Amino acid sequence: LESSTEAEAFDIRAAFKPILRSKGFCWVDSEPFRVNEWSHAGRSLSVLPEDWWWSVLKPDQLNFQICYPGAKGNFERIRRDKWQEPWGDRRQEIVFIGGPCMRERDVTRILDDCLLSDSELDLFRQSTMDTHPPDTYFGIEGLLRQMGEDPETFGRGNAGDEDT
């Protein structure tokens, strides 16, 4: 959340001051393929990319993802309960927990200001229409990356480290 003037910065601080905690997930234009986890407590706020949105996956990527334990049931639940065309499962879901001075309309106004305008959304849709997550995050390469390994060097070992 950025502000362009001191007055706007004050409004943001004032609106968020009574909020004790907020959490959930959101869709961020700078990470359009990933669910971004929103986590806030006190003065600490993080918005970090996590899993892929189901709706951005190519069929082979989707088939790979639903092989994880529990993933198929999660995907089917999302398709049944949350899916909305044309965006699929991409959406914002954030819960705010605050004291008696928290004003929903102030928080809503600030968050609404973060949304793309209709023309920005049209440009975004055009620029991402035929794009998908890189294939290197799926299959064997993807599994190695999730384990923290570099697919380029995995399994090569260090030939110079033989016992003497």
Side-chain angles (χ1 to χ4, degrees), residues 3 21 23 46 48 54 59 111 118 123 126-127 135 141 157:
S3 59
R21 178 142 171 62
K23 66 180 192 171
S46 65
L48 299 172
W54 294 109
L111 293 175
D118 289 344
L123 287 171
Q126 291 170 15
S127 69
D135 286 328
E141 282 188 51

Side-chain angles (χ1 to χ4, degrees), residues 5-146:
T5 68
E6 276 189 48
E8 287 176 0
F10 175 78
D11 288 344
I12 292 171
R13 284 193 301 270
F16 276 79
K17 187 174 184 178
I19 298 172
L20 305 172
R21 178 142 171 62
S22 60
K23 66 180 192 171
F25 59 87
C26 53
W27 180 24
V28 179
D29 69 342
S30 62
E31 261 306 341
F33 301 133
R34 291 190 178 267
V35 176
N36 278 261
E37 182 181 83
W38 172 294
S39 179
H40 156 246
R43 292 183 174 195
S44 175
L45 170 67
S46 65
V47 179
L48 299 172
E50 296 290 329
D51 293 329
W52 306 104
W53 292 110
W54 294 109
S55 57
V56 302
L57 300 177
K58 297 186 291 189
D60 60 321
Q61 294 172 337
L62 177 62
N63 287 335
F64 181 81
Q65 286 297 97
I66 62 174
C67 289
Y68 285 98
K72 186 173 184 179
N74 184 33
F75 170 69
E76 289 170 349
R77 182 183 53 78
I78 297 281
R79 284 285 297 180
R80 182 184 64 243
D81 299 340
K82 302 289 185 177
W83 205 269
Q84 291 186 349
E85 294 300 336
W87 303 110
D89 58 331
R90 293 173 281 179
R91 64 195 185 283
Q92 331 298 336
E93 284 191 13
I94 305 170
V95 174
F96 291 87
I97 303 163
C101 295
M102 185 176 90
R103 294 180 7 182
E104 181 180 347
R105 75 173 181 268
D106 292 345
V107 174
T108 300
R109 182 179 54 87
I110 291 166
L111 293 175
D112 284 348
D113 286 345
C114 295
L115 298 174
L116 297 177
S117 69
D118 289 344
S119 61
E120 290 170 328
L121 185 58
D122 285 341
L123 287 171
F124 176 80
R125 184 189 322 232
Q126 291 170 15
S127 69
T128 61
M129 188 178 305
D130 294 320
T131 57
H132 301 278
D135 286 328
T136 56
Y137 286 90
F138 301 91
I140 298 300
E141 282 188 51
L143 288 173
L144 290 171
R145 287 180 197 286
Q146 288 182 14

